[in-house]
Amino acid sequence: MSTNIQEMSAPVKKVPIHLQSSQNRLLIKHGKVVNAHEIIDTDVYIEDGIIKELGKNLIIPGGTRILDVRGMYILPGGIDPHTHFAFEKSGMKSADDFYQGTKAAIAGGTTMIMDFVFPESGESLVEAFYLRRNAADGQVCCDYSLHACVTWWSEEVKKEMEELCNKHGINSFKMFMAYKNEYMLNDCNLYSAFDTCKELGAIPMVHAENGDIIDQNVKKLLSEGVTGPEGHAISRPEIIEAEAVNRACVIANQVKGPVYIDGLTSKRAADILAPYREENKVIGAVMASSLGIDIISSSFSTVTDPPLRSHSSLHLIQLLADGYLQVTGSDDCTYTSEQKSVGKSDFTQIPAGVNGVEDRMSVIWEKGVESGAMDPQQFVAITSANAAKIFNIYPQKGCIAVGSDADIVVWNHRKTRTISAKTHHQATDVNIFEGMVVHGVPEFVIVNGRVCFEEGEVKPVQGFGKFIPTLPFPPFIYGSDSDLLMFSNGESKVDGLKEDKAEGSEKSFSSATEKSDYDMFPDRAAHATGKGARHEGQRNLQESTFSISCELDDTSRRSCIRVYNPPGGKSSGSFW
């Protein structure tokens, strides 16, 4: 480790003083709370960016803002585990930086993104991590985490993976089976990287395409005069993706560790995962572009890696609904039409990437829920909860529960909108979903307790987001067999929350396997309010019909109040 890296201090997030001192209080009334395991009629009280209480006729402080959301769903804010903001390659930078990208995310109902540390071959992973933090901190409008890409292999890389895991809040590492002579690792190095992830309690993520065959296909096509954008997909057929997916699963099987296959685009590749589920913890992730687009035209705007496939979207949606695939991202890496046209005479020069961070939630609702393929609980699982569990930030994120971060989207499933580059909030003049009419749009988006989207207007605060450490050994990946069963039978083994810190990061909750003072999944019938036990003989206001906000509540009076337990386990469908 070089001295300058050791001495480098972690970036400090600067938040405006008026936001630091604000006491945000918010009550969301008359909606249906949707978690991955249930839908319940309950109100949500938020204070200082945290969900404090769930229930009906809650007693709240004066001055609390009240949102009446009757007829709408109250969902955990979306978590997009795959974005590329301010991504630079070959001297070209993607159109959306961390401010513009997270602003667009909020407009679409996503309240947390996960981007990538992307070192060049031979570059220090730790140094690249600090550079990425410096690029994001001060710009992000919502919380974010990072994956680290392993673009070359050595013992030094292994040591830096350990440092990132243990000191800097990184618990996922992405390897590439494509991009020969750039980022591609051979099978021997993949085995070593997977094995290291297992030792560290980290998640190995894989871009699965056979880079050697792609390289040969590209040379052949160019020699035959095929230079247009159609050459991109021709050089990367489904079988090339499927072969690499199978090989990645075999390698993970041999090291007896998990594997996360990122960005599946084809039926053939996605179907390969099923046989490995009994032996491996195999996770399949699909991007919104593969779910929203069914017939692909050969144009610059649709070029992405792996290529989008014709007639795959319905099959991929069904695999998500059935639990064979678990996660949806956007792979948002936007370029303008001018940037894309750089490859007009050579398809290998077209920058790969499409939009999606803003439209992901609506596209998946349209294709999944509106079509009848899945229910709202499954929607929450694949857009938020599963990612939170996999990357060990659940139940801080990914659910609506007492103690969870107040990252919430009030979802109007009856409203429609037409997706267009003319109206989106991204810094590109193209939109891969152009003209698509979608049901399901955000009515309000709440980021850390602050209303950042309402009445169709985004109200982002630059630098308001913070870095969220993802700690190693997520119990939903590395737990015992009984822990893993929570994805299918709804019984959670995670009993509490504990506070932890990663070097240079904000305070974060992490799932704990032992009981803590703050029990996220209590057995008692009501939530802890944080106000201490009631003295003997004192009136219990939580069981009273009295409400400060009763004049604003037109529900009938009840003889008692039921305060719901926070969600803790039961999942819709089998995760594994």
Side-chain angles (χ1 to χ4, degrees):
M1 185 75 59
S2 61
T3 303
N4 64 319
I5 296 176
Q6 288 180 328
E7 294 176 351
M8 193 181 300
S9 60
V12 176
K13 180 175 71 66
K14 296 182 179 180
V15 178
I17 293 176
H18 72 282
L19 289 179
Q20 293 177 21
S21 61
S22 66
Q23 301 294 314
N24 294 321
R25 298 188 181 98
L26 188 65
L27 180 66
I28 308 174
K29 294 180 65 67
H30 302 141
K32 292 182 181 292
V33 167
V34 184
N35 281 305
H37 67 294
E38 67 178 351
I39 301 179
I40 56 175
D41 290 308
T42 187
D43 299 338
V44 182
Y45 174 62
I46 297 164
E47 188 174 307
D48 296 332
I50 301 295
I51 297 172
K52 294 292 186 179
E53 294 186 72
L54 300 176
K56 289 290 188 178
N57 298 325
L58 297 175
I59 297 175
I60 58 173
T64 297
R65 182 182 178 185
I66 298 175
L67 301 180
D68 188 327
V69 300
R70 70 185 68 239
M72 301 182 205
Y73 291 125
I74 305 170
L75 313 177
I79 298 173
D80 189 337
H82 191 142
T83 66
H84 296 283
F85 298 146
F87 175 67
E88 190 166 358
K89 183 181 179 184
S90 303
M92 184 180 294
K93 184 176 287 189
S94 59
D96 287 315
D97 59 14
F98 278 97
Y99 169 70
Q100 197 70 35
T102 54
K103 174 184 176 180
I106 291 170
T110 289
T111 56
M112 179 178 176
I113 59 98
M114 302 184 76
D115 212 275
F116 291 84
V117 175
F118 218 112
E120 296 296 325
S121 180
E123 184 183 359
S124 161
L125 271 70
V126 175
E127 186 170 358
F129 165 77
Y130 278 116
L131 291 173
R132 203 65 177 149
R133 286 290 308 273
N134 283 324
D137 289 355
Q139 281 208 346
V140 288
C141 305
C142 64
D143 291 351
Y144 79 104
S145 292
L146 293 169
H147 315 287
C149 296
V150 177
T151 56
W152 59 294
W153 187 255
S154 71
E155 284 300 311
E156 181 64 23
V157 169
K158 182 176 180 178
K159 292 177 183 176
E160 291 201 316
M161 289 173 68
E162 182 177 2
E163 180 177 344
L164 287 173
C165 233
N166 295 334
K167 296 184 179 181
H168 301 300
I170 300 288
N171 76 352
S172 50
F173 297 90
K174 185 166 184 178
M175 281 65 74
F176 297 86
M177 303 173 79
Y179 308 114
K180 187 175 182 179
N181 300 322
E182 290 184 283
Y183 311 126
M184 190 176 89
L185 299 185
N186 60 33
D187 288 357
C188 181
N189 290 340
L190 283 171
Y191 186 104
S192 298
F194 284 18
D195 203 33
T196 299
C197 285
K198 181 185 175 184
E199 292 174 10
L200 297 174
I203 301 156
M205 305 172 70
V206 180
H207 176 115
E209 292 182 285
N210 190 312
D212 285 317
I213 295 179
I214 291 170
D215 185 63
Q216 293 299 313
N217 285 346
V218 167
K219 290 176 181 177
K220 184 178 180 180
L221 288 167
L222 292 176
S223 70
E224 295 173 349
V226 179
T227 60
E230 70 278 5
H232 179 77
I234 296 172
S235 69
R236 309 167 96 102
E238 283 193 33
I239 194 171
I240 299 304
E241 181 186 2
E243 183 279 331
V245 168
N246 186 71
R247 187 156 37 100
C249 290
V250 168
I251 295 171
N253 177 274
Q254 293 303 294
V255 303
K256 295 180 172 56
V259 65
Y260 181 114
I261 307 297
D262 205 10
L264 290 158
T265 63
S266 70
K267 296 186 290 185
R268 193 165 186 170
D271 286 343
I272 285 173
L273 301 187
Y276 292 97
R277 294 176 69 206
E278 295 301 321
E279 299 180 50
N280 287 60
K281 302 176 184 78
V282 178
I283 303 157
V286 187
M287 302 302 114
S289 51
S290 292
L291 302 173
I293 306 298
D294 197 35
I295 300 178
I296 310 301
S297 61
S298 297
S299 68
F300 298 109
S301 64
T302 60
V303 169
T304 186
D305 298 333
L308 302 179
R309 317 288 184 181
S310 296
H311 310 296
S312 288
S313 63
L314 292 178
H315 187 72
L316 295 174
I317 282 285
Q318 195 59 52
L319 291 177
L320 284 163
D322 293 341
Y324 290 101
L325 302 176
Q326 296 80 28
V327 186
T328 58
S330 68
D331 195 6
D332 190 283
C333 189
T334 56
Y335 295 97
T336 64
S337 54
E338 181 181 357
Q339 288 176 306
K340 285 277 191 179
S341 67
V342 169
K344 60 185 177 183
S345 59
D346 181 355
F347 67 85
T348 65
Q349 300 304 308
I350 303 171
V354 295
N355 65 287
V357 73
E358 181 172 353
D359 300 317
R360 179 183 69 114
M361 300 277 281
S362 289
V363 166
I364 296 170
W365 184 275
E366 178 69 24
K367 296 294 184 176
V369 182
E370 189 67 22
S371 71
M374 63 182 68
D375 59 31
Q377 298 101 296
Q378 290 171 307
F379 174 81
V380 167
I382 66 172
T383 59
S384 179
N386 286 350
K389 292 170 183 177
I390 291 164
F391 296 107
N392 208 8
I393 52 176
Y394 185 91
Q396 178 188 358
K397 306 284 187 182
C399 68
I400 295 178
V402 170
S404 296
D405 288 353
D407 285 350
I408 293 172
V409 53
V410 174
W411 194 255
N412 190 336
H413 56 288
R414 296 186 178 91
K415 186 180 287 188
T416 63
R417 71 181 176 97
T418 302
I419 298 175
S420 175
K422 295 179 180 179
T423 55
H424 70 200
H425 296 84
Q426 302 198 246
T428 175
D429 58 344
V430 293
N431 190 308
I432 195 171
F433 308 111
E434 187 70 38
M436 181 185 294
V437 177
V438 290
H439 296 77
V441 300
E443 194 73 29
F444 298 95
V445 180
I446 298 155
V447 179
N448 285 318
R450 179 185 177 90
V451 178
C452 290
F453 179 87
E454 61 181 317
E455 298 180 347
E457 183 182 354
V458 193
K459 301 176 180 179
V461 179
Q462 187 168 338
F464 186 57
K466 59 185 179 296
F467 176 72
I468 302 296
T470 56
L471 303 183
F473 292 103
F476 303 103
I477 303 297
Y478 286 98
S480 65
D481 290 342
S482 60
D483 290 330
L484 296 176
L485 288 176
M486 71 147 297
F487 291 106
S488 58
N489 68 13
E491 297 300 325
S492 173
K493 296 293 181 179
V494 182
D495 296 312
L497 292 175
K498 64 180 180 180
E499 292 183 358
D500 207 337
K501 286 188 177 182
E503 182 178 300
S505 67
E506 299 295 325
K507 185 182 294 185
S508 171
F509 285 119
S510 66
S511 298
T513 56
E514 297 180 357
K515 284 283 186 181
S516 70
D517 292 336
Y518 190 99
D519 190 357
M520 179 54 81
F521 306 106
D523 297 325
R524 56 190 179 275
H527 292 311
T529 63
K531 299 178 181 178
R534 178 171 53 94
H535 295 296
E536 187 66 28
Q538 183 178 338
R539 181 185 179 208
N540 184 353
L541 295 180
Q542 289 297 323
E543 295 180 354
S544 168
T545 55
F546 173 76
S547 171
I548 292 175
S549 59
C550 62
E551 292 183 358
L552 299 172
D553 187 353
D554 63 357
T555 57
S556 60
R557 290 190 174 272
R558 304 182 183 186
S559 59
C560 64
I561 297 173
R562 179 183 177 186
V563 182
Y564 291 89
N565 282 325
K570 184 178 178 183
S571 172
S572 57
S574 173
F575 185 87
W576 298 112

